[in-house]
Amino acid sequence: MSSTVKGKYLLFVPAENPASIATLEPVATLLESRGFKHVFLSMERIYPYGTGNVLKDNGLRHVEIPLGSSITKRNRPRYLQVYYKVRMWARGLMRRLRPAVVVTMKNTGIPGLFVLAAKEKRIPTLLVQEAFIGELKKMTAKLMLNKRRLLFYIRHAIKLSAL
């Protein structure tokens, strides 16, 4: 694998929310055990949701996008202005860092700009899918045998028998 990669760094581009770091952190740990150094990208200045604090608290090496200010308010011209600046900065980062792989959870928005910059430099990208974690409700006899559901089953059985 090391003969085909350009550098020893892996660039992790999490989504805007701090929870995405928790999804990418095990991937970074696994790949670090194989000899790669990881660098996370912080979009704290653009999306102030607390990702910078999470990266600092977890002791993860990170680089922050140094330009722009918050674009949490919906304003299309402002989005385009910030996206253009970040796109140019992403190209420069790819040139300076020369990562072996760019790992992300999103290929749209700001993370998508880094995917595009990586593709221009022929750097492979890895899209990690976020797992859906939630509790499923247990079907209980009370839920299955309530009056409404029983009437539905009876009507359905009558319809099927009429065919």
Side-chain angles (χ1 to χ4, degrees), residues 13-161:
V13 185
E16 302 86 24
N17 56 359
S20 63
I21 296 168
T23 303
L24 290 177
E25 195 172 3
V27 178
T29 306
L30 173 71
L31 292 173
E32 192 171 36
S33 69
R34 296 187 180 183
F36 290 98
K37 297 175 186 173
H38 63 268
V39 176
F40 278 81
L41 181 73
S42 173
M43 293 181 260
E44 187 64 30
R45 190 168 287 191
I46 299 170
Y47 295 108
Y49 298 141
T51 55
N53 294 335
V54 172
L55 290 169
K56 287 175 191 168
D57 292 346
N58 292 353
L60 298 169
R61 190 179 308 116
H62 66 281
V63 62
E64 188 171 313
I65 297 175
L67 33 105
S69 57
S70 177
I71 59 171
T72 53
K73 294 179 182 173
R74 303 287 180 208
N75 183 345
R76 188 167 180 83
R78 177 128 169 69
Y79 271 131
L80 295 176
Q81 181 184 28
V82 171
Y83 277 22
Y84 179 76
K85 288 179 181 177
V86 172
R87 174 104 164 93
M88 294 300 115
W89 187 81
R91 282 180 171 173
L93 181 69
M94 292 300 158
R95 195 172 41 255
R96 286 188 309 276
L97 189 60
R98 294 189 50 83
V101 179
V102 174
V103 184
T104 186
M105 294 181 60
K106 279 176 70 173
N107 58 0
T108 60
I110 299 289
L113 299 176
F114 288 88
V115 171
L116 287 173
K119 295 289 184 188
E120 287 174 356
K121 295 288 182 189
R122 294 197 171 125
I123 298 170
T125 58
L126 175 65
L127 184 65
V128 177
Q129 184 172 346
E130 188 172 9
F132 177 77
I133 301 171
E135 287 187 34
L136 298 174
K137 291 184 178 180
K138 292 182 180 178
M139 278 302 249
T140 60
K142 185 178 180 181
L143 275 174
M144 289 178 61
L145 300 176
N146 67 16
K147 190 176 181 181
R148 242 175 111 191
R149 194 169 298 253
L150 268 171
L151 290 173
F152 170 78
Y153 290 142
I154 292 169
R155 281 196 310 269
H156 189 67
I158 291 170
K159 283 181 186 176
L160 286 177
S161 64

